[in-house]
Amino acid sequence: MFKALLLKQEENKKVTATVEDLEVAKLPEGDVLVKINYSTINYKDSLAITSSSPIVKNFPMVPGIDFSGEVEETSNENFKIGDKVILNGFGVGEKYWGGLAQKARVKGEWLVKLPEKLTQKQAMAIGTAGYTAMLCVLALEKQGVTPDKGEILVTGATGGVGSVAISLLSKLGYTVCASSGREEYQDYINSLGAKKIINRSELSEKGRPLGKEIWAGAIDSVGSHTLANICASTKYGGVVAACGLAQGFDFPSTVMPFILRGVSLLGVDSVYHSIEGRKEAWMRLEKDLNLEHLTKMTQVISLDEVDQVAKNMLENKTFGRIVVDVNL
Ligand code: NDP
């Protein structure tokens, strides 16, 4: 038996989330059985757990798009018993039973080996949010955005993607301007390395097609008018990496920044990103993430607390990263 958070849909379509004891035999098919030690709550997990968005495709479902743990059984030749592994995405926690549990059976091709210098807990403190922040940084780098090009804007600064992005960029020598709606977290944001903080209200309303050229690049986890305003204020030849929708999934922009200033808008998806790209991102996280910052941005909770914390996250009452110790 193992403990798992289980989402069930009642006849009236209401979704409940309860921690239950399940039989290992109930796990779906897969060639690797993992003993999970840590999982995490990302924004998408919160949407799934609270049923605020149709993330979960079938019920009952164990949510959790991430986990870290040790291989317990395997018929996949790339893994052996005891290997420490990470899983991010691939529809786990959406279509397939996920990480908010003490065990998972998955396809070995979805797993990445834990980088040597990271613990399983640190890997989940990073989680999909942090790995996506790294993908965004890599996207800027690959488009030639170097620290000398100018200021980089990071939105959703107190959130998971935002916090890790600020920390990574500052360590890499970029000058970071953070956008946040929460003034009480200014010290926290500065401590991650931001040089300047603007109130997110400066970006969240409908703006002009083109504004003053300010940023050399941006990492946006917010979407909607914020993303449109970022594009309008990005410098000639600048690059914007877009990965999120905390404000909204709309994008009320014009083509002006793209055709008059050669601004590039790069979409970043973590869920079905290639294994090679994941390995590169985890290798860079191992090398470039300030682990003191990671500790500062992380809270640890138990499976029993997940339901409430997921609700808090959607009300913008959490900050940084939430690790779930599934054995607490
Ligand atoms: P968090 O909840 O940790 O952070 C979101 C942050 O966005 C908040 O902390 C807040 O920062 C800001 N925010 C919240 N509501 C609003 C609003 N109405 N308008 C403007 N800003 C707002 O979430 P994550 O960091 O885990 O995820 C952020 C986004 O990125 C989500 O939309 C998520 O779905 C997406 N994402 C996408 C991935 C992909 O593969 N493309 C992978 C991972 C995440 P502050 O209070 O500082 O303003």
Side-chain angles (χ1 to χ4, degrees):
M1 303 292 282
F2 67 98
K3 281 197 192 311
L5 183 70
L6 201 64
L7 302 182
K8 288 195 250 181
Q9 193 171 45
E10 295 172 0
E11 270 175 26
N12 61 6
K13 299 278 181 204
K14 188 173 178 286
V15 175
T16 58
T18 47
V19 177
E20 298 193 13
D21 288 307
L22 303 176
E23 288 171 40
V24 176
K26 287 254 163 48
L27 285 168
E29 285 182 10
D31 53 4
V32 183
L33 177 67
V34 179
K35 175 189 179 294
I36 298 174
N37 288 316
Y38 296 97
S39 184
T40 168
I41 312 182
N42 299 279
Y43 193 86
K44 192 189 248 178
D45 296 312
S46 297
L47 292 174
I49 292 161
T50 58
S51 193
S52 309
S53 182
I55 303 285
V56 173
K57 306 296 184 284
N58 41 60
F59 294 92
M61 174 60 67
V62 176
I65 63 173
D66 291 328
F67 64 71
S68 61
E70 287 149 54
V71 172
E72 212 166 64
E73 288 172 16
T74 175
S75 57
N76 183 310
E77 59 183 20
N78 295 322
F79 295 94
K80 56 180 191 324
I81 291 170
D83 276 351
K84 295 186 172 80
V85 290
I86 310 171
L87 185 138
N88 308 112
F90 279 121
V92 168
E94 302 179 50
K95 291 190 232 165
Y96 313 104
W97 281 17
L100 287 164
Q102 292 171 328
K103 286 188 197 293
R105 193 181 286 120
V106 294
K107 291 187 183 175
E109 66 204 51
W110 298 338
L111 296 168
V112 168
K113 294 215 174 121
L114 181 75
E116 270 178 23
K117 289 189 191 139
L118 294 176
T119 64
Q120 293 180 48
K121 189 172 167 187
Q122 285 166 336
M124 283 303 99
I126 295 167
T128 283
Y131 141 69
T132 303
M134 188 75 243
L135 291 178
C136 291
V137 172
L138 285 165
L140 296 186
E141 284 182 353
K142 285 173 186 172
Q143 289 295 313
V145 182
T146 44
D148 58 302
K149 294 272 166 67
E151 212 170 38
I152 308 295
L153 177 71
V154 176
T155 59
T158 65
V161 174
S163 295
V164 177
I166 293 169
S167 175
L168 283 169
L169 288 167
S170 67
K171 177 145 183 227
L172 292 166
Y174 291 90
T175 306
V176 180
C177 172
S179 157
S180 175
R182 289 189 280 182
E183 285 187 8
E184 66 277 24
Y185 283 89
Q186 290 211 351
D187 289 346
Y188 166 75
I189 296 169
N190 284 326
S191 75
L192 299 179
K195 287 279 179 300
K196 189 174 157 191
I197 304 175
I198 59 170
N199 194 298
R200 76 182 187 207
S201 61
E202 290 184 29
L203 297 165
S204 57
E205 303 297 326
K206 185 178 180 336
R208 290 180 297 150
L210 282 177
K212 193 172 162 216
E213 297 182 48
I214 306 171
W215 298 293
I219 294 181
D220 177 54
S221 57
V222 165
S224 192
H225 289 296
T226 300
L227 179 57
N229 287 326
I230 293 170
C231 292
S233 294
T234 296
K235 281 184 183 176
Y236 192 95
V239 182
V240 180
C243 71
L245 43 60
Q247 183 181 3
F249 62 75
D250 56 329
F251 178 46
S253 182
T254 72
V255 296
M256 302 300 252
F258 312 112
I259 64 171
L260 295 183
R261 290 190 184 156
V263 168
S264 298
L265 178 58
L266 309 177
V268 174
D269 168 60
S270 65
V271 184
Y272 295 106
H273 201 76
S274 69
I275 283 287
E276 291 67 36
R278 286 164 194 260
K279 286 182 182 160
E280 181 187 15
W282 279 102
M283 194 190 74
R284 285 290 304 272
L285 283 160
E286 183 184 30
K287 183 165 146 291
D288 294 328
L289 186 61
N290 179 327
L291 294 178
E292 278 174 29
H293 287 173
L294 188 66
T295 304
K296 197 179 302 180
M297 65 178 85
T298 305
Q299 264 176 278
V300 181
I301 63 164
S302 67
L303 269 182
D304 291 317
E305 295 169 281
V306 167
D307 191 24
Q308 184 56 50
V309 173
K311 287 176 187 137
N312 294 347
M313 182 176 270
L314 294 186
E315 290 171 13
N316 204 193
K317 290 182 185 157
T318 58
F319 76 97
R321 298 282 303 129
I322 315 283
V323 166
V324 182
D325 180 340
V326 298
N327 298 307
L328 269 185

